[in-house]
């Protein structure tokens, strides 16, 4: 069950446990944690949206070289950053309309629970994990599924898109039980083949966005020697 909000340090935190929610077809378990995936050899929460216009091309080129070398399978095409900037602007607008108070213009990205599909994008993929109870409601949103699909903007770029009733929303994190109760959870399965994944309709996971640096501070501090 989810409880009434508890005040902590001037912010509202929502307390979650793993819970069963009946839908018309199945009984779904809502994870009580989120995962941020990142490539081995890098640190978590490196954010392309924080790079300057001068820095970004070199970073994208390096990522593409790693993909060609077989170190990961994620595609960053020539229009990726245009789509990302538009999606983040729309997501920010939707979250503010829902009553959120973002402290960043671009969020830190997580998946709800874990994602076999995301983990399979790279050999040795790493994950930074946080409990949902540490994410303040006022700076935490989620989309069903990822925000590129949920905002519907992929259609403007000629990518496959199928409208769903839960799209075009940035939900507050306390709405998870209601949303999952209505629609269940996306299938938790790896991709048999990743090649061309960007050209198919995408409903792989629930994405959680954290619009503040505060909940992830321990991951940003330099490691002690």
């Amino acid at each position: 069950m989810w409880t009434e909000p508890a005040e902590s340090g001037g912010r509202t935190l929502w307390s979650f446990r793993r819970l069963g929610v009946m839908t018309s077809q199945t009984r779904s378990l809502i994870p009580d944690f989120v995962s941020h995936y990142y490539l081995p050899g890098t640190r978590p929460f490196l954010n392309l949206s924080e790079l300057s216009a001068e820095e970004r091309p070199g970073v994208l080129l390096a990522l593409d070289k790693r993909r060609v070398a077989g170190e990961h399978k994620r595609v960053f095409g020539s229009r990726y950053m245009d789509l990302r900037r538009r999606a983040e602007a729309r997501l920010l607008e939707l979250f503010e309309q829902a009553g959120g108070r973002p402290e960043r213009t671009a969020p830190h990205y997580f998946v709800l629970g874990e994602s076999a599909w995301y983990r399979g994008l790279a050999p040795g993929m790493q994950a930074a994990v946080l409990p949902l109870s540490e994410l303040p409601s006022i700076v935490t949103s989620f989309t069903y599924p990822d925000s590129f699909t949920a905002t519907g903007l992929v259609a403007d770029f000629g990518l496959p898109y199928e409208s769903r009733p839960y799209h075009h929303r940035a939900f507050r994190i306390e709405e998870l039980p209601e949303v999952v109760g209505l629609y269940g959870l996306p299938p938790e399965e790896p991709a048999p083949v990743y090649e061309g994944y960007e050209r198919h309709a995408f409903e792989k996971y629930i994405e959680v966005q954290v619009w503040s640096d505060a909940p992830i501070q321990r991951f940003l501090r330099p490691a002690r020697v």
Side-chain angles (χ1 to χ4, degrees), residues 174-193:
E174 61 266 28
E175 295 178 271
L176 262 175
E178 178 183 357
V179 173
V180 174
L182 285 171
Y183 304 111
L185 290 169
E188 168 58 22
E189 56 189 20
V193 177

Side-chain angles (χ1 to χ4, degrees), residues 117-132:
W117 184 89
Y118 221 115
R119 188 175 289 280
L121 279 171
M125 182 71 88
Q126 303 296 296
V129 178
L130 280 174
L132 276 175

Side-chain angles (χ1 to χ4, degrees), residues 36-54:
H36 166 84
Y37 291 99
Y38 60 101
L39 294 175
T42 65
R43 71 164 178 81
F45 303 107
L46 293 173
N47 198 314
L48 287 169
S49 297
E50 295 179 342
L51 297 175
S52 68
E54 293 74 27

Side-chain angles (χ1 to χ4, degrees), residues 11-78:
R11 298 186 177 189
T12 300
L13 304 183
W14 290 85
S15 177
F16 288 81
R17 302 188 184 106
R18 293 190 69 89
L19 59 129
V21 179
M22 288 301 296
T23 68
S24 59
Q25 297 180 344
T26 188
R27 185 173 182 86
S28 300
L29 288 177
I30 300 180
D32 60 0
F33 65 98
V34 294
S35 301
H36 166 84
Y37 291 99
Y38 60 101
L39 294 175
T42 65
R43 71 164 178 81
F45 303 107
L46 293 173
N47 198 314
L48 287 169
S49 297
E50 295 179 342
L51 297 175
S52 68
E54 293 74 27
E55 294 172 314
R56 194 174 299 123
V59 173
L60 289 171
L61 179 60
L63 285 169
D64 193 55
K65 287 181 176 179
R66 293 190 69 176
R67 180 185 62 81
V68 172
E71 296 180 29
H72 70 89
K73 303 180 182 72
R74 191 170 178 187
V75 176
F76 298 93
S78 59

